[in-house]
Amino acid sequence: MGEYFHSVYLNPALCKGCVGCIKSCPTEAIRIRGGKAQITESRCIDCGECIRQCPNHAKTAITNTMSDLAQYEYNIALPAPTLYAQFKADISVETILCGLMKIGFDGVYEVAKGAEMVSLATRKYLQRTDIKRPAISSACPAVVRLIQVKFPELLDHLIPFEAPVEVAARMALEEYSKQFAVEPGKIGTWFITPCPAKMTAVKQPVGLDRSNVTGTIAISQIYGDLLRVLPKITKNDCQLHRASWLGIGWAVSGGEKEAAGPPQRSLVVHDIHSASEILEQVALGKMKEIDYIECLACAGGCIGGPLTVENRFVAEANMQKRLQIIHQEDVASGHEIGQDVGGSDIAVTTRRPLEARPAMQLDKDIVKAMHKVELIEKICKRLPGLDCGSCGSPTCKALAEDIAQGMASETDCVFKLRERVRDLAQEMVDLAEKLPPSLDKDLNELCFIHNKDSKKQEEGS
Ligand code: SF4
Ligand code: SF4
């Protein structure tokens, strides 16, 4: 099993060890040790929850910058539809795409067009009778990693398709290498991303040997530049055609399910903790009546990503208004899903099976793991069960696990430490009182002599 690339990292200089982040992590990957947060790499799924939680901005995401574009002859922006939700609906998608060209890109290719391809393939996939149900969408890389790390038994429930951005990047390279008459290697493809998990997915694609995406640029990084150029753009500046409302609708929770076609028995789950709860239910075999689960790590869908700018409720309102407008336009013009990109003939299937990364298991050796379970139960009984986090582990059970794994001690718990100090103090008092009898005798004699001398002195004076 190879090492994970991580886009979420900690700046120890900014961390104050306040324990604010440890409870938010869905895989209990964070501990506070030596007064600073530490991330267990094998557990981290780059969901970005800790970035949202940290009041000191000590957690951050590694992404590319606009200066990285200099390495390529041509550069194509691959905007996530979430980018459009950062602006009011009266700024058209075409204007925003044109804005991307104005700030330094040579071309744009909407990720929403890749989403259309994945939607068409999902419609067909869900009609199959030989698939594991519920089928779980695989577009959110944080959810895919959550399954790899915490629920590896559900890997064959994941729909085996590339993420929309991968499909979009492949189609963009085909189109623009013809248009610019250059080899694809001379073209940089840059995902304008709402979240760090997408950066991880580019560096270490799931189910693919190599990503078609060169790098990612955070929406928050280019937002200011776009704001400056958008008011100057006129209708004649760029001749661009946007994706359909169904592809663009992927930005909000429920959009993916809507695009997946005729009503299925389906669930729309968003925010990583709800996702984890539902996946646990599936793992327990409790969701057999459900065909399809749209599962997203961020609350509200990608519009809630930690690298966006606009408040997620405002972004959702912006997007719903925009979808209303472009739905009407699409109906009026007969704009069909996938019509600009060759219909459903584009292959979107991943090329190799996903590997399990069971980082939550106690030991590879089942016997040792069973012993550790017993030990954890015993330790748990001794701990106060307050889940206060002041030991640096997210819960008392997590501390018990850390102790069983040799990574912590019982006295890391402040209550156990206080008990220990009290016991030690009591022991010292007891010891002081239990002087050896010989020393007791000496002391008695010394006291007797001292008292006798004092009396004589008093009588003589
Ligand atoms: S990115 Fe997510 S999984 Fe990783 S440490 Fe932060 S909260 Fe935990
Ligand atoms: S929230 Fe976590 S990373 Fe941020 S300062 Fe507190 S302990 Fe450190």
Side-chain angles (χ1 to χ4, degrees):
M1 191 167 69
E3 289 299 304
Y4 263 159
F5 167 86
H6 286 287
S7 54
V8 173
Y9 79 101
L10 171 88
N11 181 347
L14 294 178
C15 176
K16 297 193 172 155
C18 68
V19 311
C21 56
I22 58 174
K23 285 179 185 292
S24 65
C25 176
T27 56
E28 296 189 337
I30 310 173
R31 299 289 184 274
I32 310 297
R33 297 287 178 257
K36 302 280 179 191
Q38 287 176 2
I39 301 176
T40 306
E41 296 207 349
S42 57
R43 287 190 172 200
C44 176
I45 58 169
D46 289 303
C47 65
E49 273 299 300
C50 54
I51 297 180
R52 287 194 193 90
Q53 295 297 329
C54 180
N56 302 304
H57 307 291
K59 296 267 176 48
T60 180
I62 304 168
T63 51
N64 294 97
T65 63
M66 289 297 281
S67 61
D68 293 326
L69 271 59
Q71 298 163 27
Y72 291 85
E73 228 169 89
Y74 294 95
N75 290 287
I76 309 301
L78 306 168
T82 305
L83 175 68
Y84 317 145
Q86 310 305 301
F87 304 98
K88 290 210 174 337
D90 55 5
I91 301 177
S92 71
V93 170
E94 291 86 340
T95 304
I96 298 167
L97 298 178
C98 191
L100 288 167
M101 310 268 287
K102 298 274 180 205
I103 66 169
F105 292 96
D106 304 296
V108 284
Y109 202 99
E110 287 180 87
V111 172
K113 290 183 178 172
E116 292 180 13
M117 294 301 92
V118 177
S119 303
L120 290 173
T122 302
R123 288 178 185 186
K124 281 188 188 164
Y125 184 81
L126 292 175
Q127 283 164 13
R128 283 171 48 176
T129 53
D130 59 340
I131 58 168
K132 278 267 188 181
R133 290 179 194 269
I136 302 168
S137 61
S138 53
C140 173
V143 166
V144 172
R145 291 215 164 185
L146 180 66
I147 291 175
Q148 286 180 294
V149 166
K150 202 169 172 184
F151 305 102
E153 67 272 38
L154 299 184
L155 280 171
D156 53 1
H157 285 254
L158 277 169
I159 299 180
F161 294 159
E162 290 170 273
V165 66
E166 282 296 337
V167 182
R170 199 148 32 83
M171 294 192 294
L173 284 171
E174 267 171 36
E175 184 177 313
Y176 280 102
S177 57
K178 279 185 207 146
Q179 188 176 320
F180 298 141
V182 290
E183 291 164 20
K186 293 189 172 164
I187 301 175
T189 49
W190 304 96
F191 182 31
I192 313 300
T193 182
C195 80
K198 303 259 169 54
M199 178 68 172
T200 308
V202 167
K203 290 281 177 192
Q204 221 168 36
V206 179
L208 293 173
D209 294 325
R210 202 178 151 272
S211 174
N212 297 300
V213 187
T214 308
T216 61
I217 294 172
I219 285 178
S220 53
Q221 201 187 121
I222 57 162
Y223 178 76
D225 292 340
L226 277 176
L227 266 190
R228 271 188 291 281
V229 298
L230 289 180
K232 298 174 200 150
I233 291 171
T234 63
K235 266 197 167 173
N236 301 325
D237 278 344
C238 311
Q239 296 298 316
L240 297 160
H241 298 287
R242 63 161 171 80
S244 78
W245 71 280
L246 278 169
I248 292 172
W250 272 55
V252 281
S253 58
E256 200 179 324
K257 188 204 109 188
E258 177 93 29
Q264 311 278 337
R265 292 173 302 173
S266 52
L267 286 183
V268 175
V269 187
H270 50 104
D271 108 54
I272 195 72
H273 298 285
S274 305
S276 190
E277 276 167 33
I278 289 293
L279 293 174
E280 195 164 345
Q281 298 283 312
V282 178
L284 291 170
K286 289 186 178 170
M287 292 277 159
K288 290 208 164 74
E289 73 287 0
I290 302 293
D291 291 318
Y292 170 62
I293 303 180
E294 176 193 310
C295 206
L296 302 165
C298 292
C302 293
I303 51 159
L307 304 183
T308 57
V309 176
E310 191 53 275
N311 169 286
R312 92 163 158 95
F313 298 101
V314 176
E316 180 160 8
N318 287 345
M319 187 46 102
Q320 294 301 359
K321 178 77 185 151
R322 184 181 298 282
L323 288 173
Q324 210 180 353
I325 296 168
I326 61 180
H327 179 232
Q328 283 168 2
E329 288 173 4
D330 285 356
V331 169
S333 65
H335 188 158
E336 288 288 330
I337 180 170
Q339 77 173 29
D340 300 332
V341 282
S344 58
D345 293 337
I346 308 275
V348 297
T349 312
T350 48
R351 287 178 197 113
R352 58 179 160 79
L354 302 182
E355 59 177 356
R357 288 177 173 266
M360 313 294 278
Q361 69 184 19
L362 291 168
D363 207 294
K364 281 183 187 144
D365 180 329
I366 186 76
V367 179
K368 284 185 187 163
M370 297 292 284
H371 281 136
K372 284 181 183 171
V373 169
E374 278 172 30
L375 181 59
I376 289 165
E377 277 172 17
K378 278 186 197 154
I379 300 169
C380 270
K381 283 187 187 146
R382 297 200 292 267
L383 295 174
L386 294 173
D387 293 341
C388 66
S390 46
C391 59
S393 302
T395 60
C396 292
K397 183 156 184 274
L399 176 63
E401 279 179 30
D402 292 347
I403 297 168
Q405 299 286 38
M407 297 187 301
S409 72
E410 248 175 78
T411 48
D412 287 343
C413 166
V414 284
F415 298 95
K416 296 304 287 182
L417 182 66
R418 201 170 59 182
E419 257 177 42
R420 183 92 182 96
V421 169
R422 206 173 44 211
D423 290 350
L424 277 174
Q426 188 59 49
E427 256 177 64
M428 286 172 76
V429 170
D430 291 349
L431 277 174
E433 283 172 1
K434 281 181 192 168
L435 287 171
S438 57
L439 188 55
D440 271 348
K441 194 169 160 248
D442 290 351
L443 269 177
N444 285 339
E445 271 178 16
L446 277 171
C447 289
F448 175 72
I449 291 163
H450 173 76
N451 287 343
K452 224 165 97 177
D453 287 351
S454 310
K455 212 171 175 187
K456 268 188 190 168
Q457 275 176 14
E458 273 171 28
E459 281 169 4
S461 60

